[in-house]
Coordinates of all heavy atoms in Angstrom, one line a residue:
M1 N -14.2 28.2 -0.8 CA -14.4 27.1 -1.8 C -14.0 25.8 -1.2 O -13.0 25.7 -0.5 CB -13.6 27.5 -3.0 CG -13.6 26.5 -4.1 SD -12.7 26.9 -5.6 CE -14.0 27.8 -6.4
S2 N -14.7 24.8 -1.4 CA -14.5 23.5 -0.9 C -13.3 22.8 -1.6 O -13.0 23.1 -2.7 CB -15.8 22.6 -1.3 OG -15.4 21.3 -0.9
D3 N -12.5 22.1 -0.8 CA -11.4 21.4 -1.3 C -11.7 20.0 -1.7 O -10.8 19.2 -2.0 CB -10.2 21.5 -0.2 CG -10.5 20.7 1.0 OD1 -11.6 20.2 1.1 OD2 -9.7 20.7 1.9
G4 N -12.9 19.7 -1.7 CA -13.3 18.3 -2.1 C -13.1 17.2 -1.1 O -13.1 16.0 -1.4
G5 N -12.8 17.6 0.1 CA -12.6 16.7 1.2 C -11.1 16.2 1.2 O -10.7 15.4 2.1
Y6 N -10.3 16.7 0.4 CA -8.9 16.4 0.3 C -8.0 17.4 1.0 O -8.2 18.6 0.7 CB -8.4 16.1 -1.1 CG -9.0 15.0 -1.8 CD1 -10.0 15.2 -2.7 CD2 -8.6 13.7 -1.5 CE1 -10.7 14.1 -3.3 CE2 -9.3 12.6 -2.1 CZ -10.3 12.8 -3.0 OH -11.0 11.7 -3.6
R7 N -7.1 17.0 1.7 CA -6.2 18.0 2.4 C -4.7 17.7 1.9 O -4.4 16.6 1.6 CB -6.2 17.8 4.0 CG -7.7 18.2 4.5 CD -7.8 18.0 6.0 NE -6.8 18.8 6.6 CZ -6.4 18.6 7.9 NH1 -6.8 17.5 8.5 NH2 -5.4 19.3 8.4
H8 N -4.0 18.8 1.9 CA -2.7 18.7 1.4 C -1.6 19.2 2.3 O -0.6 19.7 1.9 CB -2.6 19.3 0.0 CG -3.1 20.7 0.0 ND1 -4.4 21.0 -0.2 CD2 -2.4 21.9 0.2 CE1 -4.5 22.3 -0.1 NE2 -3.4 23.0 0.1
D9 N -1.9 19.2 3.6 CA -0.9 19.6 4.6 C -0.1 18.4 5.0 O -0.4 17.2 4.7 CB -1.6 20.2 5.8 CG -2.6 19.3 6.5 OD1 -3.7 19.3 6.0 OD2 -2.2 18.6 7.4
S10 N 1.1 18.7 5.6 CA 2.1 17.6 5.9 C 1.5 16.5 6.9 O 1.7 15.4 6.7 CB 3.4 18.2 6.4 OG 3.1 18.9 7.6
E11 N 0.6 17.0 7.8 CA 0.1 16.1 8.8 C -0.9 15.0 8.0 O -0.9 13.9 8.3 CB -0.7 16.7 9.8 CG 0.2 17.5 10.8 CD 0.5 18.9 10.3 OE1 -0.2 19.4 9.3 OE2 1.5 19.5 10.7
S12 N -1.7 15.6 7.1 CA -2.6 14.7 6.3 C -1.8 13.7 5.4 O -2.2 12.6 5.3 CB -3.5 15.5 5.4 OG -4.3 16.3 6.2
M13 N -0.7 14.3 4.9 CA 0.1 13.3 4.0 C 0.8 12.2 4.9 O 0.8 11.1 4.5 CB 1.2 14.2 3.4 CG 0.7 15.1 2.3 SD 2.1 16.1 1.7 CE 1.3 17.2 0.5
L14 N 1.2 12.6 6.0 CA 1.9 11.6 6.9 C 0.8 10.5 7.4 O 1.1 9.3 7.4 CB 2.5 12.2 8.1 CG 3.8 13.0 7.7 CD1 4.3 13.6 9.0 CD2 4.9 12.0 7.2
S15 N -0.4 11.0 7.5 CA -1.5 10.1 7.9 C -1.8 9.1 6.7 O -2.0 8.0 6.9 CB -2.7 10.9 8.2 OG -3.9 10.1 8.5
A16 N -1.8 9.8 5.5 CA -2.1 8.9 4.3 C -0.9 7.9 4.1 O -1.2 6.7 3.8 CB -2.2 9.8 3.1
K17 N 0.3 8.3 4.4 CA 1.4 7.4 4.3 C 1.2 6.2 5.2 O 1.4 5.1 4.8 CB 2.7 8.1 4.7 CG 4.0 7.3 4.7 CD 5.1 8.0 5.3 CE 6.4 7.3 5.3 NZ 6.6 6.4 6.4
G18 N 0.8 6.5 6.5 CA 0.6 5.4 7.4 C -0.6 4.5 6.9 O -0.4 3.2 7.1
A19 N -1.6 5.0 6.4 CA -2.7 4.2 6.0 C -2.3 3.4 4.7 O -2.7 2.2 4.6 CB -3.9 5.1 5.5
L20 N -1.4 3.9 3.8 CA -1.0 3.1 2.7 C -0.1 2.0 3.2 O -0.2 0.9 2.6 CB -0.3 4.1 1.7 CG -1.1 5.0 0.9 CD1 -0.3 6.1 0.3 CD2 -2.0 4.2 -0.2
E21 N 0.8 2.2 4.1 CA 1.7 1.2 4.6 C 1.0 0.2 5.3 O 1.3 -1.1 5.2 CB 2.8 1.9 5.5 CG 3.8 2.7 4.7 CD 4.7 3.4 5.6 OE1 4.5 3.6 6.8 OE2 5.7 3.9 5.0
S22 N -0.1 0.5 6.0 CA -1.0 -0.4 6.7 C -1.7 -1.3 5.7 O -1.8 -2.6 5.9 CB -2.0 0.2 7.7 OG -2.9 -0.7 8.2
A23 N -2.2 -0.7 4.7 CA -2.9 -1.5 3.6 C -1.9 -2.4 2.9 O -2.3 -3.5 2.6 CB -3.5 -0.5 2.6
A24 N -0.7 -2.0 2.7 CA 0.3 -2.9 2.1 C 0.6 -4.0 3.0 O 0.7 -5.1 2.4 CB 1.6 -2.0 1.9
E25 N 0.8 -3.9 4.3 CA 0.9 -5.0 5.2 C -0.2 -6.0 5.1 O 0.0 -7.2 5.1 CB 1.1 -4.5 6.6 CG 2.4 -3.8 6.8 CD 2.5 -3.2 8.2 OE1 1.8 -3.5 9.1 OE2 3.5 -2.3 8.4
K26 N -1.5 -5.5 5.1 CA -2.6 -6.3 5.0 C -2.6 -7.1 3.7 O -2.9 -8.3 3.7 CB -3.9 -5.5 5.2 CG -4.1 -5.0 6.6 CD -5.3 -4.2 6.7 CE -5.5 -3.6 8.1 NZ -6.7 -2.8 8.2
A27 N -2.4 -6.4 2.6 CA -2.4 -7.0 1.3 C -1.3 -8.1 1.2 O -1.5 -9.2 0.7 CB -2.2 -6.0 0.2
A28 N -0.1 -7.9 1.7 CA 1.0 -8.8 1.7 C 0.6 -10.1 2.6 O 1.0 -11.2 2.2 CB 2.3 -8.2 2.2
G29 N 0.0 -9.8 3.7 CA -0.4 -10.9 4.6 C -1.5 -11.7 4.1 O -1.6 -12.9 4.5
A30 N -2.3 -11.2 3.2 CA -3.5 -11.9 2.7 C -3.1 -13.1 1.9 O -3.8 -14.2 2.0 CB -4.4 -11.0 1.9
F31 N -2.0 -13.1 1.3 CA -1.6 -14.2 0.4 C -0.1 -14.6 0.8 O 0.6 -15.1 -0.1 CB -1.7 -13.9 -1.1 CG -3.1 -14.0 -1.6 CD1 -3.9 -12.9 -1.5 CD2 -3.5 -15.2 -2.1 CE1 -5.3 -13.0 -2.0 CE2 -4.9 -15.3 -2.5 CZ -5.7 -14.3 -2.5
G32 N 0.3 -14.3 2.0 CA 1.6 -14.6 2.3 C 2.0 -16.1 2.6 O 3.0 -16.4 2.8
K33 N 0.9 -16.8 2.7 CA 1.1 -18.2 3.2 C 0.7 -19.1 1.9 O -0.1 -18.8 1.1 CB 0.1 -18.5 4.3 CG 0.5 -17.7 5.6 CD -0.5 -18.0 6.6 CE -0.3 -17.0 7.7 NZ -1.4 -16.9 8.7
S34 N 1.4 -20.2 1.8 CA 1.1 -21.1 0.7 C -0.1 -22.0 1.0 O -0.3 -22.2 2.2 CB 2.4 -22.0 0.4 OG 2.7 -22.8 1.5
T35 N -0.7 -22.5 0.0 CA -1.9 -23.3 0.3 C -1.5 -24.7 0.8 O -0.4 -25.2 0.4 CB -2.7 -23.4 -1.0 OG1 -3.8 -24.3 -0.8 CG2 -2.0 -24.1 -2.2
L36 N -2.3 -25.3 1.6 CA -2.0 -26.5 2.2 C -2.7 -27.6 1.4 O -2.5 -28.8 1.8 CB -2.3 -26.5 3.7 CG -1.7 -25.5 4.6 CD1 -2.2 -25.6 6.0 CD2 -0.2 -25.8 4.5
L37 N -3.4 -27.3 0.4 CA -4.1 -28.3 -0.3 C -3.2 -29.0 -1.2 O -2.2 -28.5 -1.7 CB -5.2 -27.6 -1.2 CG -6.4 -27.1 -0.5 CD1 -7.3 -26.4 -1.5 CD2 -7.2 -28.2 0.2
T38 N -3.5 -30.3 -1.5 CA -2.7 -31.1 -2.4 C -3.7 -31.7 -3.5 O -4.9 -31.6 -3.3 CB -2.0 -32.3 -1.7 OG1 -3.0 -33.2 -1.2 CG2 -1.1 -31.8 -0.5
E39 N -3.1 -32.3 -4.5 CA -4.0 -32.9 -5.5 C -4.9 -33.9 -4.9 O -6.0 -34.1 -5.4 CB -3.1 -33.5 -6.6 CG -3.8 -33.9 -7.8 CD -2.9 -34.3 -9.0 OE1 -1.7 -34.1 -8.9 OE2 -3.4 -34.8 -10.0
K40 N -4.4 -34.6 -4.0 CA -5.2 -35.7 -3.3 C -6.5 -35.1 -2.7 O -7.5 -35.8 -2.6 CB -4.3 -36.4 -2.2 CG -5.0 -37.5 -1.5 CD -3.9 -38.1 -0.6 CE -4.5 -38.4 0.7 NZ -3.7 -38.9 1.8
D41 N -6.4 -33.9 -2.1 CA -7.5 -33.2 -1.5 C -8.7 -33.0 -2.6 O -9.9 -32.8 -2.1 CB -7.2 -31.9 -0.9 CG -6.2 -32.1 0.3 OD1 -6.3 -33.1 1.0 OD2 -5.3 -31.3 0.4
F42 N -8.4 -33.0 -3.9 CA -9.4 -32.7 -4.9 C -10.2 -33.9 -5.2 O -11.1 -33.9 -5.8 CB -8.8 -32.1 -6.1 CG -8.6 -30.6 -6.1 CD1 -7.9 -30.0 -5.1 CD2 -9.2 -29.9 -7.1 CE1 -7.8 -28.6 -5.1 CE2 -9.2 -28.5 -7.0 CZ -8.4 -27.8 -6.1
G43 N -9.7 -35.1 -4.8 CA -10.3 -36.3 -5.0 C -10.1 -36.9 -6.4 O -9.4 -36.3 -7.2
R44 N -10.6 -38.1 -6.6 CA -10.3 -38.8 -7.9 C -10.9 -38.1 -9.1 O -10.3 -38.0 -10.1 CB -10.9 -40.3 -7.8 CG -10.1 -41.3 -7.1 CD -10.7 -42.7 -7.2 NE -12.1 -42.6 -6.7 CZ -13.2 -43.1 -7.4 NH1 -13.1 -43.6 -8.5 NH2 -14.4 -43.0 -6.9
V45 N -12.1 -37.7 -8.9 CA -12.8 -37.0 -10.0 C -12.2 -35.6 -10.4 O -12.1 -35.3 -11.6 CB -14.3 -36.9 -9.7 CG1 -15.0 -36.2 -10.9 CG2 -14.9 -38.3 -9.4
H46 N -11.9 -34.9 -9.4 CA -11.5 -33.5 -9.7 C -9.9 -33.3 -9.5 O -9.5 -32.2 -9.7 CB -12.1 -32.5 -8.7 CG -13.6 -32.6 -8.8 ND1 -14.3 -32.1 -9.9 CD2 -14.6 -33.1 -7.9 CE1 -15.6 -32.3 -9.7 NE2 -15.8 -33.0 -8.6
G47 N -9.2 -34.3 -9.3 CA -7.7 -34.3 -9.1 C -7.0 -33.6 -10.3 O -6.0 -32.9 -10.1
G48 N -7.5 -33.8 -11.5 CA -6.9 -33.3 -12.7 C -7.0 -31.8 -12.7 O -6.2 -31.1 -13.4
A49 N -7.9 -31.2 -11.9 CA -8.1 -29.6 -11.9 C -7.2 -29.0 -11.0 O -7.1 -27.8 -10.9 CB -9.5 -29.3 -11.6
F50 N -6.4 -29.8 -10.2 CA -5.5 -29.3 -9.1 C -4.5 -28.3 -9.7 O -4.2 -27.2 -9.1 CB -4.9 -30.3 -8.3 CG -4.0 -29.7 -7.3 CD1 -4.5 -29.1 -6.1 CD2 -2.6 -29.8 -7.4 CE1 -3.6 -28.6 -5.1 CE2 -1.7 -29.3 -6.4 CZ -2.3 -28.7 -5.3
A51 N -3.8 -28.7 -10.8 CA -2.7 -27.9 -11.3 C -3.2 -26.5 -11.7 O -2.6 -25.4 -11.3 CB -2.1 -28.6 -12.5
G52 N -4.4 -26.4 -12.3 CA -5.0 -25.1 -12.7 C -5.4 -24.3 -11.4 O -5.1 -23.1 -11.4
Y53 N -5.9 -24.9 -10.4 CA -6.3 -24.3 -9.2 C -5.0 -23.7 -8.5 O -5.0 -22.5 -8.1 CB -7.0 -25.2 -8.3 CG -7.2 -24.8 -6.9 CD1 -8.2 -23.9 -6.5 CD2 -6.3 -25.1 -5.9 CE1 -8.4 -23.4 -5.3 CE2 -6.5 -24.6 -4.6 CZ -7.5 -23.8 -4.3 OH -7.6 -23.2 -3.1
S54 N -4.0 -24.6 -8.4 CA -2.8 -24.2 -7.7 C -2.1 -23.1 -8.5 O -1.6 -22.1 -7.9 CB -1.8 -25.4 -7.7 OG -0.6 -25.1 -7.1
N55 N -2.1 -23.1 -9.8 CA -1.4 -22.0 -10.6 C -2.2 -20.7 -10.4 O -1.6 -19.6 -10.3 CB -1.3 -22.4 -12.1 CG -0.3 -23.6 -12.4 OD1 0.5 -23.8 -11.5 ND2 -0.5 -24.2 -13.5
G56 N -3.5 -20.8 -10.3 CA -4.4 -19.6 -10.2 C -4.1 -19.0 -8.8 O -4.0 -17.8 -8.7
I57 N -4.1 -19.8 -7.8 CA -3.9 -19.3 -6.4 C -2.5 -18.7 -6.3 O -2.3 -17.6 -5.7 CB -4.1 -20.4 -5.4 CG1 -5.5 -20.8 -5.2 CG2 -3.5 -20.0 -4.0 CD1 -6.4 -19.7 -4.7
N58 N -1.5 -19.3 -6.9 CA -0.1 -18.7 -6.9 C 0.0 -17.4 -7.7 O 0.6 -16.5 -7.2 CB 0.9 -19.7 -7.4 CG 1.1 -20.9 -6.5 OD1 0.9 -20.8 -5.3 ND2 1.5 -22.0 -7.1
A59 N -0.8 -17.4 -8.8 CA -0.8 -16.1 -9.5 C -1.5 -15.0 -8.7 O -1.1 -13.8 -8.7 CB -1.5 -16.3 -10.9
L60 N -2.6 -15.3 -8.0 CA -3.2 -14.3 -7.1 C -2.3 -13.9 -6.0 O -2.2 -12.7 -5.8 CB -4.5 -14.9 -6.6 CG -5.7 -14.9 -7.4 CD1 -6.9 -15.8 -6.7 CD2 -6.2 -13.6 -7.8
G61 N -1.6 -14.8 -5.5 CA -0.6 -14.4 -4.4 C 0.5 -13.5 -4.9 O 0.8 -12.5 -4.3
D62 N 1.0 -13.8 -6.1 CA 2.0 -12.9 -6.7 C 1.5 -11.6 -7.0 O 2.1 -10.6 -6.8 CB 2.6 -13.6 -8.0 CG 3.4 -14.8 -7.7 OD1 3.8 -15.0 -6.6 OD2 3.6 -15.6 -8.7
A63 N 0.2 -11.5 -7.4 CA -0.4 -10.2 -7.8 C -0.6 -9.4 -6.5 O -0.3 -8.2 -6.4 CB -1.7 -10.4 -8.4
M64 N -1.0 -10.0 -5.4 CA -1.2 -9.4 -4.1 C 0.1 -8.8 -3.5 O 0.2 -7.7 -3.0 CB -1.9 -10.2 -3.0 CG -3.4 -10.5 -3.4 SD -4.4 -9.0 -3.5 CE -4.4 -8.5 -1.8
K65 N 1.2 -9.6 -3.6 CA 2.5 -9.2 -3.2 C 3.0 -8.1 -4.0 O 3.5 -7.0 -3.5 CB 3.5 -10.4 -3.4 CG 3.3 -11.5 -2.3 CD 4.3 -12.6 -2.6 CE 3.9 -13.8 -1.8 NZ 4.6 -15.0 -2.1
S66 N 2.7 -8.0 -5.3 CA 3.1 -6.9 -6.1 C 2.3 -5.7 -5.8 O 2.8 -4.5 -5.6 CB 2.8 -7.3 -7.6 OG 3.1 -6.2 -8.5
Y67 N 1.0 -5.8 -5.6 CA 0.1 -4.8 -5.1 C 0.6 -4.2 -3.8 O 0.6 -2.9 -3.7 CB -1.3 -5.3 -5.0 CG -2.3 -4.3 -4.5 CD1 -2.6 -3.1 -5.2 CD2 -3.0 -4.5 -3.3 CE1 -3.6 -2.2 -4.8 CE2 -3.9 -3.6 -2.9 CZ -4.2 -2.5 -3.6 OH -5.1 -1.6 -3.2
A68 N 1.0 -5.0 -2.9 CA 1.5 -4.6 -1.6 C 2.7 -3.8 -1.8 O 2.9 -2.7 -1.1 CB 1.7 -5.7 -0.7
G69 N 3.6 -4.2 -2.6 CA 4.8 -3.4 -2.9 C 4.6 -2.1 -3.5 O 5.2 -1.1 -3.1
Q70 N 3.6 -2.0 -4.4 CA 3.2 -0.7 -5.0 C 2.6 0.2 -3.9 O 2.9 1.5 -3.9 CB 2.3 -0.9 -6.2 CG 2.9 -1.6 -7.4 CD 4.1 -0.7 -7.9 OE1 4.0 0.4 -8.1 NE2 5.2 -1.5 -8.1
L71 N 1.8 -0.3 -3.1 CA 1.2 0.5 -2.0 C 2.3 1.1 -1.1 O 2.3 2.3 -0.7 CB 0.2 -0.3 -1.2 CG -1.1 -0.6 -1.8 CD1 -2.0 -1.5 -0.9 CD2 -1.9 0.7 -2.0
A72 N 3.3 0.3 -0.8 CA 4.3 0.7 0.1 C 5.2 1.8 -0.6 O 5.6 2.7 0.1 CB 5.2 -0.5 0.5
Q73 N 5.4 1.6 -1.9 CA 6.2 2.5 -2.6 C 5.4 3.9 -2.7 O 6.0 4.9 -2.5 CB 6.4 2.1 -4.0 CG 7.3 3.0 -4.8 CD 7.6 2.4 -6.2 OE1 7.1 1.3 -6.6 NE2 8.6 3.0 -6.9
L74 N 4.1 3.8 -2.9 CA 3.3 5.1 -2.9 C 3.4 5.7 -1.5 O 3.5 7.0 -1.5 CB 1.9 4.7 -3.3 CG 0.9 5.9 -3.3 CD1 1.4 7.0 -4.3 CD2 -0.5 5.4 -3.8
G75 N 3.2 4.9 -0.5 CA 3.3 5.5 0.9 C 4.7 6.2 1.1 O 4.7 7.3 1.7
G76 N 5.7 5.6 0.6 CA 7.0 6.2 0.7 C 7.1 7.6 0.0 O 7.7 8.5 0.5
G77 N 6.5 7.6 -1.2 CA 6.5 8.9 -1.9 C 5.7 9.9 -1.3 O 6.1 11.1 -1.3
V78 N 4.6 9.5 -0.7 CA 3.7 10.5 0.0 C 4.5 11.0 1.2 O 4.4 12.2 1.6 CB 2.4 9.9 0.4 CG1 1.6 10.8 1.4 CG2 1.5 9.7 -0.8
G79 N 5.2 10.1 2.0 CA 6.0 10.6 3.0 C 7.1 11.5 2.7 O 7.3 12.5 3.4
T80 N 7.8 11.3 1.6 CA 8.8 12.2 1.0 C 8.2 13.5 0.7 O 8.7 14.6 1.0 CB 9.5 11.6 -0.2 OG1 10.1 10.4 0.2 CG2 10.5 12.5 -0.8
A81 N 7.0 13.5 0.1 CA 6.3 14.8 -0.2 C 5.9 15.5 1.0 O 6.1 16.8 1.1 CB 5.0 14.5 -1.1
A82 N 5.6 14.8 2.0 CA 5.2 15.5 3.3 C 6.4 16.2 3.9 O 6.3 17.3 4.4 CB 4.6 14.5 4.3
S83 N 7.5 15.5 3.9 CA 8.7 16.1 4.4 C 9.1 17.4 3.6 O 9.5 18.4 4.2 CB 9.9 15.1 4.3 OG 9.7 14.0 5.2
R84 N 9.0 17.3 2.3 CA 9.4 18.4 1.5 C 8.4 19.6 1.7 O 8.8 20.7 1.7 CB 9.4 18.1 0.0 CG 10.6 17.2 -0.3 CD 10.7 16.8 -1.7 NE 11.8 15.9 -2.0 CZ 12.0 15.2 -3.1 NH1 11.0 15.2 -4.0 NH2 13.0 14.4 -3.2
Y85 N 7.1 19.2 1.8 CA 6.1 20.2 2.1 C 6.4 21.0 3.4 O 6.3 22.1 3.4 CB 4.7 19.5 2.1 CG 3.6 20.4 1.9 CD1 3.1 20.7 0.6 CD2 2.9 21.0 3.0 CE1 2.0 21.5 0.4 CE2 1.8 21.9 2.7 CZ 1.3 22.1 1.5 OH 0.4 22.9 1.3
S86 N 6.7 20.2 4.5 CA 7.0 20.7 5.8 C 8.2 21.7 5.7 O 8.2 22.8 6.2 CB 7.3 19.7 6.8 OG 6.1 19.1 7.1
A87 N 9.2 21.3 5.0 CA 10.5 22.1 4.8 C 10.1 23.3 4.0 O 10.6 24.4 4.4 CB 11.6 21.2 4.1
G88 N 9.3 23.3 3.0 CA 9.0 24.4 2.3 C 8.1 25.4 3.2 O 8.3 26.7 3.0
D89 N 7.2 24.9 3.9 CA 6.5 25.7 4.8 C 7.4 26.5 5.8 O 7.2 27.7 6.1 CB 5.4 24.9 5.6 CG 4.2 24.7 4.8 OD1 4.0 25.3 3.7 OD2 3.3 23.8 5.3
E90 N 8.3 25.7 6.4 CA 9.2 26.4 7.3 C 10.1 27.4 6.7 O 10.3 28.5 7.2 CB 10.2 25.3 8.0 CG 9.4 24.4 8.9 CD 10.3 23.2 9.4 OE1 11.5 23.3 9.3 OE2 9.7 22.2 9.9
E91 N 10.6 27.2 5.4 CA 11.4 28.1 4.7 C 10.6 29.4 4.5 O 11.0 30.5 4.6 CB 11.9 27.5 3.4 CG 12.8 28.4 2.6 CD 13.3 27.6 1.4 OE1 13.6 26.4 1.4 OE2 13.3 28.3 0.4
Q92 N 9.3 29.2 4.0 CA 8.5 30.4 3.6 C 8.1 31.1 4.9 O 8.1 32.4 4.9 CB 7.2 29.9 2.9 CG 7.5 29.3 1.5 CD 8.1 30.3 0.6 OE1 7.8 31.6 0.6 NE2 9.1 29.9 -0.1
G93 N 7.9 30.4 6.0 CA 7.6 31.1 7.3 C 8.8 31.9 7.7 O 8.7 33.1 8.2
S94 N 10.0 31.3 7.6 CA 11.2 32.1 8.0 C 11.4 33.3 7.1 O 11.7 34.4 7.6 CB 12.5 31.2 7.9 OG 12.4 30.2 8.8
A95 N 11.2 33.2 5.8 CA 11.3 34.3 4.9 C 10.3 35.4 5.2 O 10.7 36.6 5.2 CB 11.1 33.9 3.5
A96 N 9.1 35.0 5.6 CA 8.1 36.0 5.9 C 8.4 36.7 7.2 O 8.3 38.0 7.3 CB 6.7 35.4 6.0
R97 N 8.9 36.0 8.2 CA 9.3 36.6 9.4 C 10.5 37.5 9.3 O 10.5 38.7 9.8 CB 9.7 35.5 10.5 CG 8.5 35.0 11.2 CD 8.9 34.0 12.4 NE 9.8 33.0 11.9 CZ 9.3 31.8 11.5 NH1 8.1 31.6 11.3 NH2 10.2 30.8 11.1
D98 N 11.5 37.1 8.5 CA 12.6 37.9 8.2 C 12.3 39.2 7.4 O 12.9 40.3 7.7 CB 13.7 37.1 7.5 CG 14.3 36.1 8.3 OD1 14.1 36.0 9.6 OD2 15.1 35.2 7.8
A99 N 11.3 39.1 6.6 CA 10.9 40.2 5.7 C 10.2 41.4 6.6 O 10.2 42.5 6.3 CB 10.0 39.8 4.6
G100 N 9.6 40.8 7.7 CA 8.9 41.8 8.6 C 9.8 42.5 9.6 O 9.3 43.3 10.3
R101 N 11.0 42.2 9.6 CA 11.9 42.8 10.6 C 12.5 44.1 10.1 O 12.7 44.4 9.1 CB 13.1 41.8 10.9 CG 12.6 40.6 11.7 CD 13.7 39.7 12.1 NE 13.2 38.6 12.8 CZ 13.8 37.6 13.1 NH1 15.1 37.4 12.9 NH2 13.2 36.6 13.6

């Protein structure tokens, strides 16, 4: 029976953890820098729109930082699960070997 393309062994979990942490770093870096634009850059006609633009960009940056934090937290949870999965496999393997003696 097909597993739907998903694997649940510790190696796959550790690989997923690495991918999540990498995505978190990229997401954090995407909005990690402040904008260099000023109200003056919007010109006389559009200068009044700068506050809305600036607030919107800052809100997007905050959202990306939060998203990055959630990805990193998920990656940590997957890494913990992989460790527990490996420990359980080792324990079951030892029990099976000992039962066969």
Side-chain angles (χ1 to χ4, degrees):
M1 180 177 268
S2 172
D3 63 1
Y6 296 100
R7 295 182 54 202
H8 52 275
D9 57 275
S10 59
E11 292 83 19
S12 296
M13 290 178 186
L14 290 174
S15 176
K17 174 186 184 273
L20 287 165
E21 290 173 344
S22 176
E25 289 174 14
K26 289 179 183 177
F31 281 90
K33 299 173 186 165
S34 61
T35 181
L36 300 176
L37 289 175
T38 66
E39 188 171 354
K40 184 175 133 184
D41 295 322
F42 272 60
R44 277 185 305 127
V45 176
H46 302 289
F50 178 75
Y53 170 83
S54 180
N55 291 340
I57 290 296
N58 289 335
L60 282 173
D62 291 343
M64 289 301 291
K65 289 175 191 172
S66 178
Y67 177 62
Q70 292 300 313
L71 284 174
Q73 185 177 9
L74 179 59
V78 170
T80 299
S83 297
R84 290 180 180 163
Y85 200 90
S86 291
D89 278 352
E90 290 174 18
E91 185 179 318
Q92 293 300 320
S94 293
R97 278 190 301 278
D98 291 347
R101 290 184 184 172

